[in-house]
């Protein structure tokens, strides 16, 4: 996947790949690799790729996105049915149509939202008993089945085997789900494709856990939707666009800014603010682009009213907004009726921002695990560093709780990692930080912003600002990294490792003779009986290859393997959240029961 190419809507990629002959489909992955090695030149809304001396591929992207198959043209003799057009679409990022680049839309100003599958009719203001028992339509069940089959094929092949053809089939299923009124399934399927492409291109921001989560998300939605009714069905269908509701006048105080750099080809910045009651609001500027846009967006003016404040300035100043419109997630709209002017900001130690750090860490973690904001406002004492497989991270003490602080993004164009190395030299400093929770068996968070080590009235946005040695306390010196064990307190890693291995290597990794170890029995001996059963079932589903009457191997059952893997992934996620709550001293979250997992493995609803 190349960030130099404009995003392409999923239906275009699916259409171009479907039009290829079987012979060209076999050559598609090689064509994508060759195209990615060629330079791309942008001229306004057009991107030109020189394939060879006599052939150019041109992508026309008005508004920054390729929206039609005819917008990708090739000069070779086989066009329009050539390999080059499909390879260009497969090499480009997938356009995320659920998050339009310009947030100033009609929905923000009218307070409406486009909901598919739950159409609002004139004069209809309340949910009826019929809606409470509503079930998915035949078209939606068929679309969910198509998404499930395509996602199961990707899982069976693993990232190494999920080439452009399998990706296009999942994008086609996603497009079918969108037409059937299932935007949540559509978005989940698209996220799987973007994560697969990031994995195959060795994107530095890719994490195997993210791909596993995306696959579990799309398979879970497709599995539950045919059996859902009422509010559950509405939630599983999802919405195309978030509603923006009027919120009157707001007095906001800047907290921090963070860069955005996604695998879908979007980049920019998001600035977090809070009102006098501690409610959080965001101002975003995210559009198609790469690392250069992520680093430069902080110095762009925010898109609210006529204010000339940049994101970097807003993170330390304030904003007075009238006629505000706000989404359910706290994102501020930029409609024509919104007015905003610059106001004074306050330090983190002053009211009203000070109250964010007054909430106990356990209470903040409970809120995050129950679906609330995953931001943590903590006061910590830096104690050193610890070396992990993904790099060094900071060790800190948070009210007696040992905490690990990792970088929020590994892209070398962002200063996260350099700033973390410098902060390691400020050992013993007591600082206020803003971090994002990472669920796991050990207290862990991604460091986003920190109080300036030498000036408590200042702050550092670790993804945008660069610390210097002069910013550190006098006599600071980086301590040697400690080799602290990183294993789980409970042996859940035995199951998680197999879940992740299936994602990267596919069914064949778990079906090999050397993979059927005694881990299931070990889990049962240590009290995780359900985990042991799920692991054994996963191995059995991977190795299940029946034979016909002549002894020939029959095709594998990808549906059974997908169900077994999904059950293991759901259980692992639930237990990890429970372990996370316990590690932070927070209220325990609900863990999936063995009965519900058995229903999942059997293919029934629940």
């Amino acid at each position: 996947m190349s960030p130099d190419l404009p995003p392409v809507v999923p239906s275009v990629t699916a259409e171009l790949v479907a039009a290829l002959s079987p012979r060209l489909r076999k050559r598609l992955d090689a064509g994508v690799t060759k195209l990615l090695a060629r330079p791309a030149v942008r001229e306004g809304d057009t991107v030109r790729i020189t394939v060879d001396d006599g052939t150019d591929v041109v992508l026309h992207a008005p508004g920054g996105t390729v929206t039609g198959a005819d917008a990708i043209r090739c000069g070779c003799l086989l066009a329009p049915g050539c390999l080059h057009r499909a390879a260009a679409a497969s090499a480009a990022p997938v356009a995320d149509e659920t998050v339009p680049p310009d947030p100033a839309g009609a929905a923000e100003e009218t307070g409406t939202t486009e909901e598919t599958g739950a159409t609002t009719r004139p004069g209809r203001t309340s949910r009826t008993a019929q809606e409470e028992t509503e079930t998915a339509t035949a078209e939606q069940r068929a679309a969910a089945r198509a998404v499930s089959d395509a996602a199961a094929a990707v899982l069976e092949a693993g990232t190494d085997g999920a080439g452009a053809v399998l990706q296009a089939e999942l994008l086609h299923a996603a497009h079918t789900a969108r037409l059937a009124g299932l935007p949540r399934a559509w978005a989940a399927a698209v996220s799987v494709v973007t994560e697969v492409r990031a994995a195959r291109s060795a994107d530095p921001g890719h994490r195997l856990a993210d791909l596993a989560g995306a696959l579990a998300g799309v398979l879970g939605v497709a599995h539950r939707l045919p059996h859902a009714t009422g509010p559950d069905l509405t939630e599983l269908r999802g919405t195309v666009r978030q509603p923006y509701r009027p919120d009157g006048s707001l007095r906001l105080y800047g907290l921090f800014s963070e860069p955005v750099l996604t695998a879908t080809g979007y980049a920019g910045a998001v600035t977090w603010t809070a009102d006098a009651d501690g409610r959080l609001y965001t101002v975003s500027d995210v559009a198609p682009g790469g690392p250069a846009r992520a680093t430069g967006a902080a110095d762009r003016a925010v898109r609210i009213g006529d204010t000339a404040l940049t994101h970097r300035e807003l993170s330390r100043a304030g904003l007075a907004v009238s006629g505000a419109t706000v989404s359910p997630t706290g994102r501020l709209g930029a409609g024509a009726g919104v007015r905003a002017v610059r106001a004074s900001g306050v330090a983190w130690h002053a009211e009203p921002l000070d109250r964010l750090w007054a909430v106990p860490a356990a209470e903040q973690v409970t809120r995050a695990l129950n679906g609330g904001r995953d931001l943590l406002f903590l006061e910590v004492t830096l104690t050193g560093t610890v070396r992990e497989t993904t790099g060094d991270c900071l060790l800190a003490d948070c009210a007696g709780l040992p905490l690990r602080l990792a970088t929020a993004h590994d892209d070398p164009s962002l200063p996260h990692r350099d700033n973390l190395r410098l902060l390691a030299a400020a050992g013993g400093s007591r600082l206020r930080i803003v971090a994002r929770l990472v669920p796991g068996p050990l207290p862990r968070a991604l460091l986003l912003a920190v109080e300036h080590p030498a000036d408590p009235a200042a702050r550092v946005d670790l993804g945008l600002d660069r610390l210097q040695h002069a910013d550190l306390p006098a006599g600071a010196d980086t301590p040697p990294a400690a080799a602290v064990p990183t294993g789980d307190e409970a042996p859940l890693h035995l199951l998680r490792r197999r879940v992740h291995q299936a994602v990267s290597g596919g069914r064949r990794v778990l079906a090999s003779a050397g993979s059927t170890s005694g881990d299931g029995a070990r889990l049962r001996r240590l009290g995780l009986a359900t985990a042991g059963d799920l692991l054994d079932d996963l191995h059995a589903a991977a190795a299940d290859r029946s034979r016909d009457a002549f002894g020939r191997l029959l095709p594998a059952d990808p549906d059974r393997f997908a169900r077994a893997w999904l059950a293991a992934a759901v259980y692992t996620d639930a237990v990890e959240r429970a372990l996370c709550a316990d590690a932070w001293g927070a209220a325990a979250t609900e863990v999936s029961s063995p009965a519900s997992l058995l229903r999942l493995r059997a293919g029934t609803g629940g």
Side-chain angles (χ1 to χ4, degrees), residues 349-535:
H349 286 272
E351 289 291 343
L353 299 185
D354 181 68
R355 67 184 60 184
L356 295 173
W357 279 266
V359 181
E363 185 176 332
Q364 297 185 50
V365 170
T366 300
R367 178 188 61 205
L369 293 177
N370 289 334
R373 296 284 192 188
D374 59 358
L375 292 185
L376 303 178
F377 301 90
L378 308 173
E379 193 159 352
V380 302
T381 301
L382 302 182
T383 59
T385 60
V386 59
R387 182 170 292 116
E388 297 182 342
T389 55
T390 56
D392 291 350
C393 69
L394 286 176
L395 289 177
D397 179 86
C398 178
L401 184 72
L403 173 64
R404 301 183 185 207
L405 301 172
T407 56
H409 208 292
D410 291 328
D411 194 285
S413 63
L414 301 176
H416 284 290
R417 191 161 294 282
D418 293 338
N419 286 334
L420 187 138
R421 290 194 186 101
L422 279 175
L423 281 174
S429 299
R430 186 167 182 80
L431 304 172
R432 286 192 169 185
I433 66 169
V434 181
R436 179 165 285 119
L437 176 67
V438 178
L442 298 172
R444 185 181 182 88
L446 304 179
L447 196 56
L448 302 174
V450 63
E451 180 183 320
H452 196 284
D455 183 5
R459 66 200 71 164
V460 180
D461 298 332
L462 296 177
L464 300 172
D465 303 327
R466 285 193 179 272
L467 279 170
Q468 306 295 330
H469 282 286
D471 297 322
L472 302 179
D477 189 20
T478 304
V484 178
T486 60
D488 296 347
E489 294 180 1
L492 189 64
H493 63 278
L494 298 175
L495 178 60
R496 187 200 310 110
R497 182 171 62 242
R498 299 305 183 192
V499 169
H500 288 179
Q501 281 180 340
V503 172
S504 60
R507 171 203 288 266
R508 64 185 180 277
V509 173
L510 299 186
S512 62
S515 67
T516 56
S517 62
D519 289 344
R522 180 183 173 190
L523 286 168
R524 281 186 287 271
R525 286 197 306 270
L526 294 171
L528 294 177
T530 301
D533 293 343
L534 289 171
L535 182 56

Side-chain angles (χ1 to χ4, degrees), residues 101 103 244 260 268-271 282-286 302-304 311 331-332:
Y244 281 77
V260 175
V270 174
T271 299
T282 60
V283 180
S284 62
D285 180 7
V286 179
V302 298
R303 296 181 178 181
I304 295 183
H311 284 269
R331 182 178 175 182
L332 290 172

Side-chain angles (χ1 to χ4, degrees), residues 1 7 18 100 120 148 162 209 217 230 255 285 308 317 327 369 410 420 466 477 530 537-538 593 599:
M1 183 174 63
T120 302
S148 179
L255 273 168
D285 180 7
S327 77
L369 293 177
D410 291 328
L420 187 138
R466 285 193 179 272
D477 189 20
T530 301
D537 190 59
L538 182 58
S593 65
R599 289 197 300 271

Side-chain angles (χ1 to χ4, degrees), residues 96-442:
D96 188 355
E97 296 172 293
T98 62
V99 184
D102 183 6
E108 295 181 1
E109 301 193 25
T110 61
T112 61
T113 180
E114 178 186 354
E115 293 191 13
T116 55
T119 306
T120 302
R121 297 178 175 84
R124 191 174 189 178
T125 59
S126 62
R127 181 178 295 275
T128 65
Q130 182 179 0
E131 288 176 304
E132 293 290 347
T133 58
E134 183 183 12
T135 59
T137 65
E139 182 185 12
Q140 289 173 339
R141 289 194 294 271
R145 179 74 261 175
V147 169
S148 179
D149 290 344
V154 170
L155 175 64
E156 173 135 348
T159 54
D160 293 338
V165 173
L166 284 181
Q167 295 170 27
E169 291 175 355
L170 183 53
L171 290 177
H172 176 71
H175 182 62
T176 302
R178 183 178 177 86
L179 295 180
L182 302 176
R184 181 174 173 183
W186 179 89
V190 168
S191 69
V192 169
V193 175
T194 57
E195 291 292 343
V196 168
R197 291 184 178 179
R200 291 173 62 86
S201 62
D203 189 313
H206 167 71
R207 290 182 173 87
L208 184 58
D210 294 338
L211 175 55
L215 268 171
V218 68
L219 289 171
V221 169
H223 171 81
R224 293 171 55 201
L225 193 139
H227 314 284
T229 59
D232 289 340
L233 177 61
T234 301
E235 178 189 357
L236 290 171
R237 282 170 171 166
T239 59
V240 174
R241 189 187 298 264
Q242 287 188 341
Y244 281 77
R245 305 299 185 193
D247 204 14
S249 298
L250 297 173
R251 175 64 169 92
L252 303 177
Y253 303 86
L255 273 168
F256 73 99
S257 291
E258 62 174 321
V260 175
L261 186 58
T262 71
T264 60
Y266 284 83
V270 174
T271 299
W272 292 80
T273 64
D275 65 7
D277 296 324
R279 291 191 298 266
L280 300 181
Y281 298 85
T282 60
V283 180
S284 62
D285 180 7
V286 179
R293 195 181 194 285
T295 56
D299 296 315
R300 296 173 180 266
V302 298
R303 296 181 178 181
I304 295 183
D306 299 324
T307 179
L309 273 174
T310 65
H311 284 269
R312 194 185 303 274
E313 292 170 338
L314 177 57
S315 67
R316 293 158 174 80
L319 202 64
V321 186
S322 62
T325 56
V326 184
S327 77
T329 59
R331 182 178 175 182
L332 290 172
V338 180
R339 298 290 183 267
V341 296
R342 178 173 186 156
S344 60
V346 298
W348 283 356
H349 286 272
E351 289 291 343
L353 299 185
D354 181 68
R355 67 184 60 184
L356 295 173
W357 279 266
V359 181
E363 185 176 332
Q364 297 185 50
V365 170
T366 300
R367 178 188 61 205
L369 293 177
N370 289 334
R373 296 284 192 188
D374 59 358
L375 292 185
L376 303 178
F377 301 90
L378 308 173
E379 193 159 352
V380 302
T381 301
L382 302 182
T383 59
T385 60
V386 59
R387 182 170 292 116
E388 297 182 342
T389 55
T390 56
D392 291 350
C393 69
L394 286 176
L395 289 177
D397 179 86
C398 178
L401 184 72
L403 173 64
R404 301 183 185 207
L405 301 172
T407 56
H409 208 292
D410 291 328
D411 194 285
S413 63
L414 301 176
H416 284 290
R417 191 161 294 282
D418 293 338
N419 286 334
L420 187 138
R421 290 194 186 101
L422 279 175
L423 281 174
S429 299
R430 186 167 182 80
L431 304 172
R432 286 192 169 185
I433 66 169
V434 181
R436 179 165 285 119
L437 176 67
V438 178
L442 298 172

